[in-house]
Amino acid sequence: MYELPTSVTVCDVEYEIRSDYRAVLDICTALSDPELSDQERALVTLQIFYPAFDEMPREHYEEAIRKCFWFISCGEENHGKSGPRLVDWEKDFRFIVSPVNRVLGTEIRSLDYLHWWTFVSAYYEIGDCMFAQIVRIREKLAKGKPLDKADREWYRKNRDIVDLKPIYTDAEKETLKAWGA
């Protein structure tokens, strides 16, 4: 609870992990890559998260991926069902970094290292900011709630940063192109 883990135990073996926030954001990007199969996403995730992944026995992979997601969830077991997608870490990072910088009192991109759990703790405290406005509008739209006049106007002017575009594979893009979409 008071420690910031830099290793995890998988099948009774302790493995060093990449605990910097950048590694986890790279994992999030890989997990949303439509060109990768589920198995490829899992392998890329493990390769990013475990520096010694090449030395890990295959029989450790399943538990290793569970430990990775435990870490990404800041030590919480992820039992809940997921709601609508409200954040795209890659697209939204430019709106997330400023309030996180404000909370931590430093430019996080200039740090050599920032533990993921510290990053997430600051993220939870960002308060009222442009990113909070973006997520609030996304949530209302996802739940079919009406936007008041001010929100409708803000959304109209900022639709390109609010809307999360569907992610298509190259094959799906070609099909849509052939259909004239």
Side-chain angles (χ1 to χ4, degrees):
M1 178 167 127
Y2 298 110
E3 302 294 320
L4 295 175
T6 56
S7 65
V8 294
T9 302
V10 175
C11 299
D12 297 321
V13 177
E14 188 167 337
Y15 289 98
E16 178 187 350
I17 60 173
R18 291 188 178 97
S19 56
D20 185 69
Y21 79 98
R22 295 168 193 89
V24 177
L25 294 180
D26 288 345
I27 289 169
C28 291
T29 298
L31 290 173
S32 65
D33 186 339
E35 295 298 321
L36 298 177
S37 68
D38 288 344
Q39 183 177 5
E40 290 168 329
R41 284 185 192 106
L43 285 173
V44 169
T45 295
L46 293 172
Q47 288 169 341
I48 292 170
F49 192 63
Y50 296 98
F53 172 70
D54 293 339
E55 300 159 19
M56 184 182 286
R58 281 188 172 278
E59 57 269 15
H60 290 196
Y61 289 6
E62 187 176 333
E63 185 174 335
I65 202 81
R66 278 196 307 272
K67 292 290 179 128
C68 175
F69 289 122
W70 169 87
F71 177 82
I72 291 171
S73 299
C74 296
E76 298 292 323
E77 297 297 328
N78 193 356
H79 297 296
K81 56 183 180 176
S82 62
R85 183 171 153 233
L86 300 177
V87 176
D88 179 320
W89 289 102
E90 194 171 18
K91 176 180 179 169
D92 295 334
F93 186 73
R94 65 187 173 132
F95 301 108
I96 296 169
V97 72
S98 179
V100 168
N101 285 345
R102 180 177 31 79
V103 169
L104 293 177
T106 190
E107 171 54 65
I108 64 170
R109 292 170 291 194
S110 68
L111 299 175
D112 291 334
Y113 174 81
L114 177 63
H115 196 280
W116 171 247
W117 291 11
T118 303
F119 175 86
V120 170
S121 292
Y123 171 80
Y124 287 156
E125 294 299 320
I126 62 175
D128 192 24
C129 62
M130 181 142 173
F131 180 65
Q133 173 82 350
I134 292 167
V135 171
R136 191 175 60 72
I137 299 286
R138 284 179 185 161
E139 184 173 33
K140 282 185 173 186
L141 293 171
K143 292 183 176 183
K145 293 183 177 180
L147 301 179
D148 64 26
K149 184 178 178 181
D151 284 345
R152 277 193 313 273
E153 180 64 19
W154 194 90
Y155 176 56
R156 187 184 61 74
K157 290 179 181 176
N158 296 286
R159 191 175 200 126
D160 58 321
I161 62 173
V162 173
D163 290 346
L164 295 175
K165 307 281 188 250
I167 302 170
Y168 297 112
T169 64
D170 288 340
E172 290 168 332
K173 288 177 191 172
E174 288 302 314
T175 301
L176 289 170
K177 188 176 177 182
W179 289 346

